Amino acid sequence: MKILFINAVCGVGSTGRIVTDLARQAKSKGHTVKVACSTIEPIKGVRPDEVITVGSRQDYYLHNLLSRLTDHEGLFSRSVTRKLLSQIKEYDPDLVHLHNLHGHWINYELLFRYLAEEKKKVVWTLHDCWAFTGHCSHFSLLKCEQWKSRCLHCNGLHGYPMCYGKGDVANNFDRKKKAFTSVGDMTIVTPSEWLASLVRESFLGKYPVEVVHNKIDMSVFTPTASDFRKAHHAEGKTIVLGVANVWNQSKGLDDFLKLRELLDERYVMVMVGLTQEQMAGIPGNIIGIQRTNSARELAEIYTAADVFVNLTYQDTYPTVNLEAIACGTPVVSYMTGGSCEAFDKHSGVAVRQGAVGEVPGAIERALLLDEEEILQRAKAFYSYGDYLSLIS
């Protein structure tokens, strides 16, 4: 079978690594694969002849600007999408496996018109809620349920994907519904039961929905020795770790900073994924580390930590929880989205969303968990299962 994966990035970030892991799995079973992605991030994990690049950095920035002005994310990049479609037609895949179509890089209406007209078999893995809303990729913070019927207004225009104007959410909702329900043979895949339940209530509920939990590369994310403690003068301390691709309110930035005030000097707090500006503004008693795309370096930090704390307010099935547990580190997480689906009572502790005052006690309980049982959780649970059954 010839399989085409389509995602905003390839080999970097959580969705990019998921795509390359799936491509590697498909190749191991004898399938031919290609990955179509934007050029805004480095491309890793696949051979050059297996990549179809879409657009240039200039195309990305133009799409980004126009999206911010009009609220029409995913409706620009027409010329580069037409070029992509000509390359897809030449490759003629038996299966198209979609991932993130937002990200200022592709025109979803042109893509879905092709998929419908060519009667392609489609699997679409959703990593957030963007596909069935008039604007938002997440709406938990807004406590909005318009997506169940039809979005009419939006209080989240300044969230991703950002819009400076008045928004066009009703039109966006209608155009997405028309495009995304035009394909005859499509299976929706979600990484969590939580997201699957939402999809079934949306206009995408006409399609079969399967839950396939995200997997990580456990040859990389495994207990990994390093001199991290020594390098950061943390010997004899309890390291509390937080990792985010982007630290902001929805990822619990404010709560993580509050947590520092609730913990005494026995604890060292580490934040990975900060911007240079955030690095300059965090308190001196927090170790700040900028974003890294080195999976091995992340594994070293996870392993050095005593507990991983995820105070997210909007998440589908955070890969960081999986990575921490695979390195033998217990997780403390808010009960947000599918975050707590990643662990059980032997590998993590759940806390009510926003109850930062309860986190120190949860950390103490997590520190009592057995490392071997945590690692057993990783071995037993972090598998894509029979992914290939979805594409046969």
Side-chain angles (χ1 to χ4, degrees):
M1 182 181 290
K2 290 196 290 187
I3 305 172
L4 173 68
F5 296 90
I6 300 180
N7 188 51
V9 293
C10 177
V12 298
S14 59
T15 65
R17 290 195 293 268
I18 288 166
V19 165
T20 52
D21 284 346
L22 290 172
R24 191 178 302 116
Q25 182 184 359
K27 287 169 61 178
S28 72
K29 300 297 183 180
H31 300 289
T32 301
V33 303
K34 284 187 180 291
V35 179
C37 63
S38 74
T39 56
I40 194 61
E41 294 280 2
I43 296 171
K44 300 180 179 181
V46 291
R47 300 195 315 257
D49 63 313
E50 295 174 336
V51 180
I52 302 174
T53 56
V54 181
S56 64
R57 296 185 74 85
Q58 289 76 16
D59 294 314
Y60 164 85
Y61 288 123
L62 179 59
H63 190 146
N64 191 342
L65 174 62
L66 293 173
S67 173
R68 289 170 182 250
L69 294 175
T70 66
D71 194 27
H72 289 167
E73 169 58 29
L75 292 170
F76 301 103
S77 300
R78 297 183 69 85
S79 62
V80 299
T81 302
R82 289 192 187 98
K83 180 179 178 182
L84 167 64
L85 294 180
S86 68
Q87 292 171 293
I88 295 176
K89 290 175 183 177
E90 182 178 351
Y91 178 51
D92 193 22
D94 302 297
L95 170 79
V96 178
H97 190 159
L98 307 173
H99 288 263
N100 274 353
L101 300 183
H102 56 76
H104 324 307
W105 72 290
I106 197 171
N107 185 290
Y108 67 76
E109 286 184 330
L110 292 178
L111 174 62
F112 268 80
R113 186 178 305 158
Y114 161 80
L115 296 174
E117 290 175 352
E118 296 297 318
K119 296 181 171 55
K120 289 296 183 182
K121 180 179 177 63
V122 178
V123 172
W124 193 0
T125 296
L126 302 184
H127 300 280
D128 53 43
C129 307
W130 178 84
F132 53 89
T133 74
H135 176 84
C136 307
S137 60
H138 287 282
F139 41 73
S140 299
L141 274 176
L142 302 172
K143 303 186 186 306
C144 178
E145 295 190 345
Q146 294 180 76
W147 54 274
K148 293 181 179 180
S149 53
R150 183 173 183 250
C151 295
L152 297 175
H153 59 86
C154 184
N155 294 323
L157 292 176
H158 289 173
Y160 177 85
M162 177 147 329
C163 173
Y164 299 133
K166 64 179 182 179
D168 194 19
V169 295
N171 182 39
N172 288 339
F173 185 93
D174 293 343
R175 292 174 77 166
K176 286 182 182 181
K177 182 177 181 179
K178 180 180 179 181
F180 299 159
T181 59
S182 65
V183 176
D185 185 1
M186 183 163 71
T187 299
I188 304 293
V189 177
T190 68
S192 66
E193 296 287 352
W194 170 80
L195 183 56
S197 68
L198 300 185
V199 172
R200 293 186 182 106
E201 292 187 78
S202 76
F203 58 70
L204 291 175
K206 65 176 282 187
Y207 295 106
V209 181
E210 302 285 344
V211 176
V212 180
H213 290 293
N214 290 342
K215 175 182 174 294
I216 55 174
D217 186 347
M218 291 183 61
S219 67
V220 175
F221 291 101
T222 186
T224 307
S226 70
D227 64 351
F228 183 86
R229 281 182 174 272
K230 182 177 180 180
H232 293 279
H233 309 291
E235 298 100 325
K237 301 281 189 177
T238 299
I239 297 179
V240 176
L241 174 65
V243 177
N245 189 45
V246 177
W247 278 102
N248 53 28
Q249 181 187 4
S250 69
K251 292 299 181 182
L253 173 60
D254 293 343
D255 285 9
F256 206 85
L257 297 178
K258 289 178 186 175
L259 179 61
R260 173 66 276 184
E261 300 172 7
L262 299 175
L263 297 176
D264 59 39
E265 294 308 311
R266 293 174 298 168
Y267 297 89
V268 172
M269 294 186 66
V270 179
M271 300 178 71
V272 177
L274 295 169
T275 65
Q276 195 167 10
E277 183 180 0
Q278 288 172 327
M279 291 275 289
I282 62 170
N285 54 3
I286 294 179
I287 298 170
I289 299 172
Q290 289 183 266
R291 177 183 174 186
T292 172
N293 280 317
S294 168
R296 179 177 174 82
E297 183 181 351
L298 274 175
E300 292 174 353
I301 299 172
Y302 284 125
T303 305
D306 294 287
V307 61
F308 179 75
V309 175
N310 188 355
L311 305 183
T312 180
Y313 281 82
Q314 293 191 144
D315 243 313
T316 304
Y317 187 76
T319 304
V320 289
N321 290 4
L322 316 186
E323 294 169 348
I325 293 174
C327 293
T329 302
V331 172
V332 171
S333 175
Y334 279 164
M335 291 184 280
T336 295
S339 186
C340 295
E341 294 179 36
F343 56 83
D344 59 13
K345 65 181 181 180
H346 302 294
S347 53
V349 179
V351 178
R352 291 181 301 116
Q353 188 184 89
V356 66
E358 298 176 11
V359 175
I363 290 174
E364 291 297 325
R365 295 195 298 277
L367 292 172
L368 298 176
L369 298 175
D370 181 75
E371 182 177 352
E372 286 304 313
E373 290 189 343
I374 295 169
L375 292 172
Q376 281 301 118
R377 173 67 173 180
K379 292 176 183 177
F381 197 65
Y382 298 153
S383 169
Y384 283 121
D386 189 12
Y387 158 69
L388 295 181
S389 69
L390 297 174
I391 64 177
S392 60

